[in-house]
Amino acid sequence: MLTSLTIGMSSAFGQGTVRITISGVPTVLQTPYLAELQRDYQIGRFPVQLVYSHASRQPGTFRFQLTLTLDGQEIVSETSPDVTIRPGVYTYRTFKDAPEIIFPDLATLINKLPADLQTRINQTGTLPEGRYELTLEATSTDEEQFIVSP
């Protein structure tokens, strides 16, 4: 089972930027068992670093989109409610760290997967073999002030 990781999004407005980095996810997962991967997330093995800077030091309000693809096909995507963040560096062991980024729980995400994947996961507790890509993107809620760079 292969996995890859897309490192966040870099966005700029005026003299501000947002950068997201997900660390600790190996190229090849050591286990296909979802329970073990969930445990690894809960104990902070896949930390997320968010760096937000703005020349005026004003807080920004963002939505975060978490997307998972399997072999290049999107299988689930969720967008968080608005989160207001002051400029600074934030390291998330889990998204419950402050400022909290709210996404549905694992059971809810599994229920949003295609039916064949839901069945496989519910019957075996494992992720099907393939290339997984996890992407976390930040989008400003004030689109007029934000310029997104590729």
Side-chain angles (χ1 to χ4, degrees):
M1 176 183 323
L2 294 177
T3 184
S4 78
L5 179 64
T6 298
I7 297 179
M9 170 183 137
S10 182
S11 301
F13 58 99
Q15 296 179 13
T17 60
V18 173
R19 188 179 69 242
I20 299 172
T21 306
I22 304 174
S23 305
V25 180
T27 304
V28 177
L29 293 176
Q30 305 213 347
T31 179
Y33 292 99
L34 199 55
E36 291 178 26
L37 293 169
Q38 183 179 16
R39 181 203 64 221
D40 288 349
Y41 163 75
Q42 290 170 337
I43 63 172
R45 286 213 174 128
F46 311 125
V48 174
Q49 184 181 64
L50 182 143
V51 179
Y52 170 50
S53 62
H54 194 283
S56 71
R57 301 286 304 154
Q58 70 183 37
T61 302
F62 302 91
R63 287 185 196 103
F64 294 87
Q65 182 171 7
L66 184 66
T67 305
L68 182 63
T69 63
L70 172 57
D71 296 329
Q73 184 174 7
E74 183 179 297
I75 57 174
V76 69
S77 183
E78 283 295 320
T79 302
S80 74
D82 294 357
V83 179
T84 299
I85 298 178
R86 295 187 136 323
V89 177
Y90 301 88
T91 300
Y92 290 90
R93 288 178 8 108
T94 71
F95 290 124
K96 292 183 188 281
D97 293 344
E100 186 175 16
I101 301 172
I102 299 171
F103 288 110
D105 63 17
L106 185 58
T108 302
L109 290 174
I110 290 171
N111 288 333
K112 293 184 177 194
L113 294 172
D116 60 326
L117 289 176
Q118 285 182 45
T119 301
R120 165 84 185 256
I121 290 169
N122 289 329
Q123 288 178 351
T124 67
T126 64
L127 292 172
E129 199 169 312
R131 180 181 169 88
Y132 290 85
E133 185 174 338
L134 179 66
T135 306
L136 180 64
E137 295 179 300
T139 304
S140 174
T141 58
D142 186 353
E143 294 177 12
E144 291 181 10
Q145 287 187 341
F146 227 85
I147 301 168
V148 177
S149 62

